[in-house]
Amino acid sequence: MTGTQRPGVTVFLTGLSGAGKSTIADALVASLEAEGRPVTVLDGDVVRTHLSSELSFTREHRDLNIRRIGFVAGEVVKHGGTVVVAAIAPYEAAREEARALVERNGRFLLVHLSTPLEVCEDRDVKGLYARARAGEIPGFTGIDDPYEPPARAELVIDTSVTPLADSVARIRAAIDEESAAVA
């Protein structure tokens, strides 16, 4: 990294399915790109399609998927890039591994979208929660597989009470606050 290059940062959005990860990621990316800041997006579903298609949803495979995301994010921030990750990432140990992979090269901002399960179920346009409750999708996070809330989240946002614009503003403030501290 050169002396004039901004330190790289990964914003890692985690939460249940339907918590608002992709919605916030899209709005955050638009906000950053409007200022001319290029952003790499690592959406959990897209990564599973293109980088982890051979993986199942066992704990070991979910952890491996998050390690892969952490590795890629770390490589981008090493060169001063900005990464926005939107992934359920249900297990604390895997999120902390991703943090370690990124922090070797740049900054890591963990954002826990703490939206209540009931709200996530109400938002579920694909009917995944109903299918999980009916036993059609075993191991579904929040139903019969745990979501371990982060112990070290830099931000906690409940999207059922925090409007989208406010959520993005809080994340931008955290990015800018950390950037000022590093400079």
Side-chain angles (χ1 to χ4, degrees):
M1 184 164 64
T2 65
T4 59
Q5 185 176 352
R6 160 186 19 226
V9 61
T10 291
V11 176
F12 196 109
L13 303 168
T14 178
L16 294 170
S17 178
K21 296 176 299 298
S22 294
T23 300
I24 289 176
D26 290 344
L28 178 61
V29 168
S31 170
L32 292 165
E33 288 180 341
E35 295 177 1
R37 188 169 181 165
V39 181
T40 298
V41 178
L42 298 174
D43 181 274
D45 292 336
V46 176
V47 169
R48 274 202 171 266
T49 299
H50 297 288
L51 188 61
S52 298
S53 61
E54 82 285 4
L55 299 182
S56 68
F57 287 90
T58 64
R59 183 177 186 124
E60 294 76 23
H61 281 185
R62 289 178 190 207
D63 287 351
L64 177 56
N65 189 51
I66 297 306
R67 276 194 302 277
R68 288 177 180 177
I69 288 172
F71 172 78
V72 172
E75 289 299 301
V76 173
V77 301
K78 178 168 55 176
H79 301 288
T82 299
V83 180
V84 174
V85 174
I88 293 171
Y91 309 121
E92 178 73 1
R95 289 188 302 262
E96 286 301 311
E97 280 188 69
R99 177 189 293 276
L101 288 166
V102 170
E103 287 182 340
R104 290 180 192 165
N105 302 307
R107 297 179 303 118
F108 186 89
L109 180 69
L110 184 64
V111 181
H112 176 210
L113 300 183
S114 64
T115 307
L117 175 62
E118 304 76 39
V119 174
C120 294
E121 287 190 76
D122 287 344
R123 293 177 177 172
D124 183 21
V125 295
K126 296 178 186 173
L128 298 175
Y129 281 104
R131 291 180 54 211
R133 288 201 181 275
E136 296 173 21
I137 306 175
F140 194 81
T141 302
I143 302 301
D144 61 354
D145 199 61
Y147 177 84
E148 300 170 354
R152 294 198 315 146
E154 281 74 18
L155 284 175
V156 178
I157 300 172
D158 178 347
T159 64
S160 70
V161 296
T162 307
L164 178 60
D166 292 349
S167 297
V168 171
R170 287 184 61 196
I171 296 167
R172 289 295 312 264
I175 292 170
D176 295 341
E177 180 179 302
E178 285 193 28
S179 292
V182 171

